[in-house]
Amino acid sequence: MITDGLIQKAALLLQQGRYSEAENILGQLLTQNPNDIDTLTLLSEANFQQKKYDKAEELVNNAIALSPHESSLFYLKSRIYLYKDEYKEAEKYANTAISLLPEDENNYVILSNILLAQKKYQDALDVADRALSLAPDNVFALNMRSTALLKLNNKDESFRTIEEALHENPNNPHTHANYGWGLLEKGDKKKALEHFSEALKNDPDNSFAQAGMVEALKARFIFYRLFLKYSFWMSNLTSKYQWGVILGFYFGTKFLQRVAANNETLRPFLIPIIVLLALFAFSTWIIGPVSNLFLRLNYYGKHLLSKEEKMSSSLVGIFLGTSILSVIGYFMSKDQAFLILAIFTFTMMIPVGKIFNQPRNIFVGYNIIMFLLGGYVVFQTFVNHIVPDNIAIIYFFGFLAFQFLGNYFSINRKN
């Protein structure tokens, strides 16, 4: 009886979001009875909610070894793999959960979520509809259906579905956040802000809503709105098509440069296009941290930015300011060193804008190397009045390589 009471207490603590306290109770119970399925399951959930995914997986595997036909254990395991971004494994365990208990709509909900993460939008919609055939009022299934419809460009039906989910549970923070993201993708930033605010009113720590609020506030700036449209369009593509766009853009620009160099008649028309394409490519890299810099001027917006976002935006601001001052210095003095400094600080905005991205150790290390290389070139130019061509060339190729490296990790993360 005492054990049952402690398990119930731990379950209540989990519902209240007090995961560490629940973990302590369940850990003590597990030492007394290491083969108790309920304790193993709840302890795995407690670790999962604290993002201790490896420990959560170890515990649920122990439970599965004791009860290999329990659907809920494979459901939990699929969630763990989903949050570890290992979608193939997550899909496999979700299907196992469905095969063990096909009448449980939640097994279809998690599978739909996994399929959405893999951008299999039609499959995700079909599975969400299967969940709703079992439980028409399942809020999370309605959310999955709405998102899939939006990605399939059926916006009207998508918003009807999300409004149905709100009708079922008007205070559900995830539904409000999901609605906000849908409205943001549609271009209605004002209404999106209302739903993000509602989500945060019901759950102040909801990271999904917080991220949406940041994007909606930054969307007040017209250039960021345009970037956001491009970003949504790119994110809806699978990785091979994203790479197709990036490589097509890169080699297309190179082709236009070659044509302009060899054709004097077309050159006046092509040069402005090439410059605009280059500015667009550059802006997609720095617009995030630059917009964060402006967002810090907003009383509410500054509280939504993480410490790393603030630091990254500050670094971009410092390099941008130095670049502008260097250009002014060059025109006033005609000293080539100021021009080199302007180029160095301007190009460094790209790597410092991504300095805290994952994997952080690679991006931080790359930034340090780039800064040392470029700094050495600037130092030699100012002090000895020479440009060390070999180091400058290494810096230039490092700058080009960073764009492909950054795209590689960005695409992997988004997919």
Side-chain angles (χ1 to χ4, degrees):
M1 290 296 292
I2 295 175
T3 300
D4 290 343
L6 288 173
I7 288 178
Q8 290 174 6
K9 182 180 179 181
L12 181 62
L13 289 170
L14 284 174
Q15 291 176 6
Q16 295 172 345
R18 297 158 66 181
Y19 306 120
S20 180
E21 295 175 51
E23 182 185 4
N24 290 335
I25 293 173
L26 292 165
Q28 293 172 16
L29 289 173
L30 194 65
T31 58
Q32 299 169 19
N33 188 356
N35 295 328
D36 184 76
I37 300 296
D38 291 337
T39 303
L40 284 166
T41 304
L42 290 174
L43 187 54
S44 177
E45 180 71 33
N47 279 274
F48 169 74
Q49 293 293 347
Q50 295 176 85
K51 300 183 180 180
K52 302 175 184 177
Y53 299 133
D54 291 339
K55 184 62 178 177
E57 184 184 355
E58 178 188 335
L59 289 162
V60 79
N61 283 341
N62 292 342
I64 289 171
L66 295 166
S67 183
H69 303 295
E70 181 59 51
S71 169
S72 62
L73 297 177
F74 289 95
Y75 168 80
L76 174 56
K77 191 167 182 178
S78 71
R79 288 168 61 215
I80 293 169
Y81 274 93
L82 171 61
Y83 279 81
K84 288 172 68 176
D85 297 331
E86 297 180 27
Y87 302 133
K88 294 298 182 184
E89 290 296 301
E91 186 177 347
K92 180 177 74 174
Y93 292 119
N95 280 314
T96 302
I98 289 170
S99 67
L100 291 170
L101 193 61
E103 62 270 23
D104 186 347
E105 73 276 7
N106 291 310
N107 291 334
Y108 296 95
V109 171
I110 191 64
L111 178 58
S112 180
N113 199 347
I114 294 162
L115 292 168
L116 279 176
Q118 296 178 85
K119 303 184 181 181
K120 299 177 181 178
Y121 300 130
Q122 185 59 54
D123 291 342
L125 176 60
D126 294 340
V127 173
D129 284 339
R130 174 62 178 147
L132 289 167
S133 71
L134 296 169
D137 59 348
N138 187 295
V139 171
F140 290 104
L142 289 167
N143 271 273
M144 295 302 109
R145 184 174 193 271
S146 175
T147 301
L149 285 165
L150 182 67
K151 299 303 181 182
L152 291 166
N153 206 32
N154 190 344
K155 293 183 175 65
D156 292 339
E157 184 64 21
S158 171
F159 289 119
R160 278 196 293 271
T161 301
I162 201 74
E163 284 164 6
E164 186 179 343
L166 277 179
H167 177 74
E168 293 293 339
N169 188 345
N171 298 317
N172 187 285
H174 180 79
T175 303
H176 277 291
N178 200 24
Y179 200 173
W181 277 103
L183 290 164
L184 199 57
E185 186 164 349
K186 184 183 177 183
D188 191 345
K189 66 180 188 304
K190 185 177 179 181
K191 197 172 178 182
L193 275 169
E194 293 174 6
H195 283 282
F196 289 134
S197 297
E198 194 65 29
L200 292 171
K201 183 164 64 177
N202 293 299
D203 180 9
D205 297 323
N206 190 304
S207 58
F208 190 40
Q210 288 172 346
M213 179 70 83
V214 168
E215 295 301 306
L217 286 171
K218 289 194 288 190
R220 295 176 307 157
F221 308 108
I222 184 169
F223 291 112
Y224 196 83
R225 284 203 297 276
L226 295 172
F227 165 74
L228 207 53
K229 284 184 178 293
Y230 164 77
S231 183
F232 277 126
W233 176 73
M234 277 289 282
S235 67
N236 289 337
L237 299 175
T238 56
S239 59
K240 65 178 181 180
Y241 290 112
Q242 288 177 334
W243 274 115
V245 170
I246 291 166
L247 293 174
F249 186 94
Y250 178 78
F251 288 112
T253 304
K254 290 292 183 184
F255 173 75
L256 290 177
Q257 288 174 340
R258 194 174 298 113
V259 172
N262 298 323
N263 193 315
E264 291 185 9
T265 306
L266 293 176
R267 191 178 304 160
F269 302 99
L270 292 178
I271 292 298
I273 295 173
I274 294 167
V275 171
L276 286 174
L277 289 174
L279 287 174
F280 171 75
F282 188 82
S283 67
T284 61
W285 281 92
I286 65 164
I287 196 166
V290 167
S291 60
N292 285 343
L293 195 60
F294 285 109
L295 191 60
R296 289 169 66 179
L297 302 176
N298 181 282
Y299 178 78
Y300 299 102
K302 64 183 179 182
H303 298 295
L304 292 169
L305 296 175
S306 68
K307 182 180 178 182
E308 292 175 347
E309 287 172 327
K310 291 178 181 177
M311 190 176 299
S312 175
S313 65
S314 295
L315 288 171
V316 168
I318 290 168
F319 279 106
L320 177 60
T322 305
S323 182
I324 293 170
L325 291 173
S326 300
V327 170
I328 295 171
Y330 171 72
F331 282 111
M332 291 178 65
S333 67
K334 301 300 181 183
D335 187 344
Q336 184 188 24
F338 282 105
L339 185 59
I340 297 297
L341 178 60
I343 294 171
F344 165 61
T345 51
F346 189 72
T347 54
M348 273 300 296
M349 285 195 294
I350 285 183
V352 299
K354 303 288 181 182
I355 190 169
F356 295 116
N357 281 19
Q358 295 295 339
R360 185 184 302 180
N361 58 336
I362 290 178
F363 281 101
V364 171
Y366 207 105
N367 266 272
I368 292 172
I369 293 171
M370 290 288 288
F371 183 79
L372 291 174
L373 289 170
Y376 177 78
V377 173
V378 171
F379 176 80
Q380 288 293 332
T381 308
F382 270 101
V383 176
N384 297 320
H385 306 290
I386 59 168
V387 179
D389 292 338
N390 53 340
I391 303 298
I393 290 171
I394 294 172
Y395 176 84
F396 174 73
F397 280 107
F399 171 74
L400 291 179
F402 179 83
Q403 297 175 63
F404 287 98
L405 180 73
N407 278 314
Y408 171 78
F409 285 116
S410 177
I411 288 172
N412 280 356
R413 186 172 65 252
K414 289 177 180 177
N415 282 284

